Amino acid sequence: MSTEPRGWQAEADRLANASVGRGDPTGWFEELYAAGESGEVTMAWDHDDPQPLLADWTHEGDVTGAGLRALVVGCGLGAEAEHLAALGFATTAFDLSPTAIRTARSRHPGSSVDYQVADLLDPPREWHRAFDLVVEIYTVQAVPRDLRDRMISAVSDLVASGGTLLAIQAVLDPADDGSGPPWPLTREEIESFVRHGLTKVAVEELHLADTSPRWRAEFVR
Ligand SMILES: C[S@@+](CC[C@H](N)C(=O)[O-])C[C@H]1O[C@@H](n2cnc3c(N)ncnc32)[C@H](O)[C@@H]1O
């Protein structure tokens, strides 16, 4: 009998549907990472290189972080946080899932990133408008749409005065049946960060060769 782990996507659908169904829209993340850690399924959202749209943005903008604080929301296994730390940012990265954070720490021994378990919907008070750069990739779209406005408001609240938010999300396909996960964003939703004190710099709808369209959105406070 094969002992190969099953692919994580089908498990994500199963766990998310059960979790949302019992009124716990975020409980499935820890269950999914724990199943990955045990070897039952492959590890979810597992990548060593930073998200390409983030890497391009930092490269094209010649972004450097000396003397600046960055925060990665829903950081998963840490590739994006490590990228920002390598650019010189004093980087904090958090995730709801203790298993994700434990895995991120063990994969990056000696890292300067401050990895923390925290809930975007109830963040530490000292993070209020504290970060020069906030990076949010696929976290808003990973929770059901009835929490969308709270998630977007909470992300916005982390950006310091003069700071920047970079958000990367999937674009909602008109044929999407809404069953999720994920629950991609409309243009109105990605632009709604401006309703929480931020100013739009650019909202790009990017059509890439190997994946469905993505929003890459930059805002400042
Ligand atoms: C789709 S995954 C993306 C992970 C990572 N950003 C990436 O692109 O590889 C969404 C992540 O958000 C985390 N997450 C979901 N809700 C959260 C919340 N309320 N607070 C903190 N993290 C959350 C999940 O545990 C998961 O790691």
Side-chain angles (χ1 to χ4, degrees):
M1 225 169 90
S2 167
T3 54
E4 285 290 301
R6 293 176 282 118
W8 64 267
Q9 286 93 344
E11 189 69 351
D13 288 347
R14 193 183 73 74
L15 292 172
N17 287 331
S19 189
V20 171
R22 64 176 180 267
D24 179 10
T26 56
W28 60 280
F29 294 107
E30 174 56 17
E31 295 171 341
L32 183 61
Y33 282 117
E37 186 181 51
S38 74
E40 203 182 313
V41 297
T42 55
M43 187 57 98
W45 304 297
D46 193 354
H47 54 280
D48 293 328
D49 293 330
Q51 215 287 336
L53 295 179
L54 168 66
D56 288 350
W57 182 81
T58 56
H59 180 68
E60 287 160 13
D62 214 3
V63 173
T64 55
L68 300 175
R69 292 187 73 191
L71 180 71
V72 181
V73 175
C75 65
L77 307 180
E80 290 72 33
E82 295 299 322
H83 178 67
L84 297 183
L87 292 174
F89 288 94
T91 305
T92 300
F94 74 100
D95 201 285
L96 193 61
S97 161
T99 301
I101 292 301
R102 196 170 55 249
T103 306
R105 286 185 185 133
S106 73
R107 284 191 177 189
H108 305 288
S111 169
S112 66
V113 175
D114 178 14
Y115 286 106
Q116 297 198 29
V117 177
D119 184 352
L120 174 63
L121 297 174
D122 186 20
R125 198 167 291 187
E126 62 272 20
W127 289 0
H128 173 72
R129 299 192 180 185
F131 295 92
D132 303 294
L133 174 63
V134 174
V135 169
E136 187 284 299
I137 303 177
Y138 303 152
T139 300
V140 169
Q141 70 173 48
V143 301
R145 304 188 75 201
D146 54 348
L147 285 172
R148 183 133 302 168
D149 198 50
R150 278 183 64 198
M151 298 284 283
I152 286 175
S153 171
V155 170
S156 307
D157 190 61
L158 302 166
V159 182
S161 177
T164 294
L165 165 67
L166 187 76
I168 296 170
Q169 301 290 327
V171 174
L172 182 66
D173 183 328
D176 188 299
D177 68 3
S179 58
W183 293 269
L185 278 71
T186 63
R187 177 171 283 279
E188 190 186 351
E189 288 171 329
I190 192 75
E191 298 214 346
S192 71
F193 285 97
V194 299
R195 287 203 274 109
H196 302 281
L198 302 184
T199 300
K200 179 169 92 172
V201 176
V203 173
E204 302 168 273
E205 179 174 345
L206 299 169
H207 291 257
L208 309 163
D210 52 351
T211 186
S212 61
R214 296 288 189 259
W215 300 116
R216 181 171 60 184
E218 181 182 344
F219 303 88
V220 292
R221 180 184 294 286

